[in-house]
Amino acid sequence: MLNRKEPGIRARNPASVPHLVSGISDFPSLPSPPMAILVDANTRVICQGITGSYGAQHTKGCWAYGTKLLGGVTPGKGGTKDAHGLPIWDTVEQAVKATGATATMIFVPPVLAADAILEAAAAGLKTICAITEGIPVQDMVKTRGVLDEMNSQGAGIMLVGPNCPGVITPGPKSTREGAGASGENPYTTSGCKIGIMPGYINTHISEAKLGKAVGIVSRSGTLTYEAVWQTSSRGLAQSTCVGIGGDPVRGVNHIDCIKLFEADPDTHGIMMIGEIGGSDEIEAAAYIKKHVKKPVAAFIAGRTAPPGRRMGHAGAIIGGADDTADAKIKALQAAGVTVAMSPADLGVAMLQAMKLG
Amino acid sequence: MKIHEYQGRDLLASYGIPVPSGRMITAASDAAAAYRDATGGNAGGLAVVKAQVHAGGRGKAGFVKLVRSEKEATEAATFMLSNRMKSPQTPPEGLAVSKLLVASGADIADRAGGGKEEFYLAITLDRATRRNVLIASREGGVEIEQIAHDRPDAIKKERLHPTLGLSPSAARKIAFELGMKGKQINQAADIMVKLAKLYVEKDCSLAEINPLVITPKSEKFPDGQVLAIDAKFNFDDNGLVRHPELTSMADNSEENPSELKAQEFGLSYVALDGNIGCLVNGAGLAMSTMDIIKLHGGEPANFLDVGGSASEEAVTEAFGIILSDSRVKGILVNIFGGIMRCDVIAQGIINAASKYKNADGSIGFKVPLVVRLEGTNVEAGRKLLNEARGKIPTMQAANDLGDAAKKVCAAVGA
């Protein structure tokens, strides 16, 4: 059992929150952590850019969800504490040394964010969630090149994003009345939320009517929420949801997450949300056909987008024949994936794929 | 962001890539002097006058002209500056032209076996490999997409190292493969290396030289000179913040005014042809909202992503942009709050309802408004809207995405 008290997010007197005053040992590991991919209830997390307005707001949101968010980094503010009493360090290396963190959430401004990713990688962090939107593409080409080099030597770094909502492995809602039921009160006992997604819409398997959990991987933030909401309201849980981001050069892609979901015993179905532009979904379709035994449902956004117009995401530009929504839908259907034609049918498609609907 | 051809030439020249001499003029009275400069005072020399607009189809429209005298240059300039250019890529009424490029008409060497020594050279991002790639072909001056489709062997590709860029040896290899010989090889490789440096340093998403040509042999260039005749650049908007020298080149005269206004407020807006205005957070959800409107028989009037960090003011402004399109007969607001809070959206809606008055002076939206809110601070958002319901009689709440699409399509009679 976690001996964490439930102060609620309004009562943020650090003295009432054991781990803030007496250090990280107040977070004992769960005897059998919930299965999931990338992050789970035992993942120790820091925030880079913790004193910026978004960094501060979402550090609070993640903490309130039950994430082991142990502090953050803002160069020049080392040794101080944030508004909620979490410690701040000058460098990621110091933060990792003090907290034993393995994951980070990055809210650093766009032109500095790629360097923040590299700082996290150099400090040995394994799961790097870059939330920042608007990182120059050339910065990501270089960063991805460096990470690929490190990973070829066995570093095992998983970059999620940039320009993404992050990763969440839902936990059971707290026993306190109303806890976890809304955005006002998102508290869970052992979830891990790293990012900006609303936590309360997610469902832990112990609280799902159908007793099955799906893994969700998506290029779009708010569409991920839509998929979570629709699966939750139809009685499914989520094992882990990964927003991989809409930028043309990013970290993990659909295939990386699908591979992890296929191997995770507590994921019973996989939902993939793609969009026009690029060829990731076509490659994912080929991978699913060959390697995936679990039921897969998918949706591709942008079927009606006019060609050649940029629709917000740097990635969502129609280019070659392979990157239209129709080409992607065909490839996925040929791979045995249940494709939702309407964004209102994400949950229904998942149930159909799992033969529950 | 795009820049004009004359600005692209300047950019190439600033990296030491040779371009034919020439300059930009804005008045026909400057054409004679520009012709003299471009041709080096060589009477009867060949020059070209080209309209500087972003739209393509200039040649067929008569807005690219070869001239051989001051008189011809002045006539061509007078025609281009006093007529609107119409092509399949311009609006039906055409585009006014205010800038012209007058450049030397470089002689191009004949290619052994027929044709001219014209090549294609470009650097862009290969999304599949997450690397920049140099693309080159012996078939310059033509539609490269067609060549790539018909004869993929005619296209050479070289991946750039993510941190080191293009090495001279890799560039020389491409020059050999393009069939270049003797002193042409180092000249072409030098251009490729410099183009790659420019592409990365200036945060380009495309840097293209088409055509790259070889001039006939001369005393100074015994194997001919390798020259960039025309260049096209696209820039990564995310990188522009560190390039004030590029943003100052922006020419917004051809852009949609509503799209420019949206940019100013950090909104991503694309005008479309339908009558249902959309206000959504997130690009994927915004595209899906357009998709579901079409599925229910409606037509979206726009794509509008308010992004994650919009203020109440920006949301209010978004309504102004949507309502400024007189074709809009209904509005769908679809918000799934994450970083964006539902109460901020709700307050933006309420502010917009009082700010944008109807033709008869009443406030509140005249057109039907369907609002679907979910996610962060949804209770606070719904409460605000419920309290303001009396002031916004055309507003309906929707339970989910499907319900929202049905309601708005019914409201506009789609």
Side-chain angles (χ1 to χ4, degrees):
Chain A
M1 273 297 291
L2 274 176
N3 64 355
R4 190 175 185 183
K5 286 188 188 163
E6 295 180 353
I9 56 173
R10 283 186 205 85
R12 293 302 300 256
N13 172 8
S16 71
V17 185
H19 80 279
L20 295 184
V21 288
S22 56
I24 55 177
S25 61
D26 288 312
F27 277 123
S29 287
L30 291 179
S32 56
M35 291 298 294
I37 71 165
L38 295 169
V39 298
D40 63 32
N42 291 323
T43 305
R44 293 169 176 275
V45 188
I46 57 162
C47 174
Q48 287 168 264
I50 190 171
T51 52
S53 64
Y54 291 116
Q57 180 191 339
H58 292 286
T59 293
K60 178 177 158 184
C62 293
W63 190 90
Y65 189 77
T67 307
K68 285 185 181 173
L69 218 144
L70 304 174
V73 176
T74 294
K77 295 196 179 164
T80 62
K81 292 200 188 299
D82 82 341
H84 316 297
L86 292 173
I88 301 174
W89 291 272
D90 285 320
T91 68
V92 177
E93 194 185 10
Q94 292 165 356
V96 168
K97 214 178 225 173
T99 60
T102 57
T104 176
M105 169 166 82
I106 297 178
F107 281 97
V108 170
V111 291
L112 304 171
D115 188 54
I117 294 171
L118 293 176
E119 186 187 356
L125 291 173
K126 300 298 178 201
T127 305
I128 301 173
C129 298
I131 312 299
T132 306
E133 177 180 354
I135 302 182
V137 176
Q138 291 306 320
D139 288 5
M140 283 312 303
V141 169
K142 292 182 189 123
T143 302
R144 180 65 201 256
V146 173
L147 294 183
D148 286 352
E149 184 70 31
M150 291 173 81
N151 280 341
S152 74
Q153 289 159 19
I157 297 159
M158 299 293 261
L159 170 66
V160 179
N163 187 13
C164 77
V167 181
I168 183 166
T169 293
K173 293 179 174 37
S174 158
T175 50
R176 194 156 52 88
E177 196 176 338
S182 74
E184 309 274 288
N185 192 352
Y187 210 83
T188 68
T189 53
S190 62
C192 182
K193 164 173 131 82
I194 307 183
I196 60 177
M197 67 290 278
Y200 76 93
I201 59 175
N202 292 269
T203 307
H204 184 257
I205 191 156
S206 64
E207 292 159 349
K209 210 169 62 193
L210 296 170
K212 303 268 181 202
V214 297
I216 297 177
V217 53
S218 169
R219 271 168 72 182
S220 149
T222 43
L223 258 184
T224 320
Y225 314 159
E226 194 68 52
V228 169
W229 177 249
Q230 291 185 27
T231 47
S232 281
S233 25
R234 282 171 177 77
L236 289 167
Q238 299 81 32
S239 53
T240 301
C241 306
V242 192
I244 58 176
D247 281 2
V249 179
R250 56 176 173 259
V252 295
N253 59 23
H254 286 302
I255 294 182
D256 298 318
C257 296
I258 290 169
K259 202 183 282 182
L260 294 173
F261 283 134
E262 177 72 6
D264 170 31
D266 284 357
T267 296
H268 307 110
I270 302 167
M271 167 135 250
M272 178 182 123
I273 310 281
E275 60 188 40
I276 52 169
S279 57
D280 273 23
E281 293 85 354
I282 300 276
E283 288 150 25
Y287 182 86
I288 291 166
K289 195 171 186 174
K290 221 170 155 187
H291 302 286
V292 178
K293 302 271 184 307
K294 291 181 181 173
V296 184
F299 175 73
I300 304 292
R303 274 170 74 206
T304 61
R309 301 302 306 268
R310 178 175 158 152
M311 293 287 173
H313 282 173
I317 305 174
I318 299 213
D322 260 14
D323 66 2
T324 63
D326 285 339
K328 293 181 179 191
I329 290 170
K330 266 193 201 131
L332 287 164
Q333 284 172 333
V337 174
T338 308
V339 181
M341 288 300 160
S342 161
D345 294 338
L346 307 178
V348 172
M350 192 71 250
L351 288 179
Q352 277 171 1
M354 296 171 82
K355 305 208 172 8
L356 296 168
Chain B
M1 195 193 92
K2 292 174 181 170
I3 58 174
H4 286 301
E5 181 184 2
Y6 77 92
Q7 295 163 322
R9 284 164 42 94
D10 292 348
L11 198 51
L12 290 178
S14 71
Y15 274 77
I17 295 173
V19 294
S21 59
R23 67 177 149 102
M24 191 271 286
I25 59 168
T26 55
S29 54
D30 292 336
Y35 170 82
R36 279 196 304 275
D37 292 349
T39 52
N42 175 14
L46 184 68
V48 60
V49 181
K50 298 164 118 178
Q52 299 296 289
V53 291
H54 292 314
R58 292 181 300 176
K60 280 195 182 139
F63 282 72
V64 175
K65 284 219 170 102
L66 292 172
V67 293
R68 291 189 178 275
S69 68
E70 291 179 21
K71 185 166 165 279
E72 284 180 15
T74 307
E75 282 169 4
T78 307
F79 169 80
M80 291 180 203
L81 291 171
S82 54
N83 285 284
R84 295 176 82 87
M85 181 189 128
K86 290 180 192 169
S87 84
Q89 293 184 32
T90 64
E93 71 277 15
L95 286 173
V97 177
S98 62
K99 291 173 182 151
L100 305 174
L101 171 66
V102 182
S104 155
D107 253 347
I108 305 175
D110 291 322
R111 184 172 282 170
K116 293 277 186 185
E117 289 283 27
E118 291 186 293
F119 302 85
Y120 175 91
L121 200 60
I123 301 176
T124 190
L125 176 74
D126 177 17
R127 294 176 52 138
T129 59
R130 326 256 191 239
R131 299 284 189 270
N132 298 308
V133 61
L134 174 88
I135 300 165
S137 173
R138 258 173 84 77
E139 320 277 337
V142 288
E143 287 296 318
I144 195 72
E145 291 89 345
Q146 198 58 40
I147 302 276
H149 181 262
D150 298 344
R151 286 180 294 118
D153 320 345
I155 308 277
K156 314 287 173 204
K157 288 186 186 172
E158 182 69 29
R159 212 184 286 170
L160 272 59
H161 188 279
T163 47
L164 301 176
L166 183 68
S167 69
S169 57
R172 285 197 299 273
K173 188 187 87 177
I174 291 283
F176 284 123
E177 287 177 3
L178 291 175
M180 293 191 177
K181 303 217 156 48
K183 293 185 191 305
Q184 296 165 2
I185 288 162
N186 277 338
Q187 284 185 53
D190 185 54
I191 290 173
M192 290 180 217
V193 170
K194 284 172 174 163
L195 188 68
K197 188 167 178 320
L198 185 168
Y199 168 88
V200 172
E201 286 179 356
K202 298 291 182 185
D203 282 297
C204 299
S205 53
L206 173 73
E208 178 187 82
I209 297 174
N210 187 24
L212 180 79
V213 306
I214 304 175
T215 63
K217 293 172 184 171
S218 63
E219 207 172 308
K220 194 171 166 203
F221 295 103
D223 290 326
Q225 187 188 14
V226 183
L227 270 183
I229 300 288
D230 197 351
K232 184 179 169 190
F233 293 95
N234 288 338
F235 299 95
D236 171 14
D237 292 343
N238 292 345
L240 285 176
V241 59
R242 51 191 175 198
H243 301 295
E245 77 285 5
L246 293 176
T247 39
S248 66
M249 288 183 182
D251 174 359
N252 288 330
S253 61
E254 292 173 43
E255 306 294 325
N256 176 312
S258 292
E259 294 182 12
L260 287 175
K261 180 143 199 211
Q263 258 172 35
E264 213 180 290
F265 285 88
L267 308 165
S268 174
Y269 172 88
V270 179
L272 300 167
D273 296 327
N275 61 3
I276 298 176
C278 305
L279 191 158
V280 191
N281 66 325
L285 192 61
M287 280 193 286
S288 306
T289 304
M290 290 161 47
D291 293 345
I292 199 168
I293 286 172
K294 283 221 176 191
L295 272 175
H296 284 85
E299 286 289 334
N302 64 274
F303 164 96
L304 196 159
D305 170 13
V306 293
S309 48
S311 58
E312 278 169 27
E313 190 200 4
V315 174
T316 307
E317 202 56 46
F319 276 100
I321 291 167
I322 291 172
L323 290 166
S324 70
D325 180 347
S326 59
R327 293 168 303 182
V328 168
K329 297 287 177 267
I331 300 176
L332 173 55
V333 176
N334 181 22
I335 299 294
F336 212 126
I339 200 163
M340 167 57 81
R341 287 160 32 205
C342 290
D343 54 325
V344 170
I345 294 283
Q347 196 55 54
I349 294 174
I350 294 164
N351 295 350
S354 10
K355 182 172 175 190
Y356 299 103
K357 292 198 169 59
N358 296 306
D360 60 5
S362 64
I363 60 163
F365 304 104
K366 193 129 241 182
V367 297
L369 173 71
V370 177
V371 182
R372 184 273 178 129
L373 293 181
E374 204 61 67
T376 305
N377 287 15
V378 64
E379 297 93 340
R382 288 191 183 139
K383 187 158 171 267
L384 280 171
L385 289 181
N386 274 331
E387 286 164 6
R389 200 168 279 269
K391 278 193 277 183
I392 317 174
T394 63
M395 182 170 67
Q396 304 177 62
N399 301 326
D400 58 38
L401 187 48
D403 185 43
K406 256 178 238 154
K407 280 183 174 151
V408 77
C409 287
V412 301

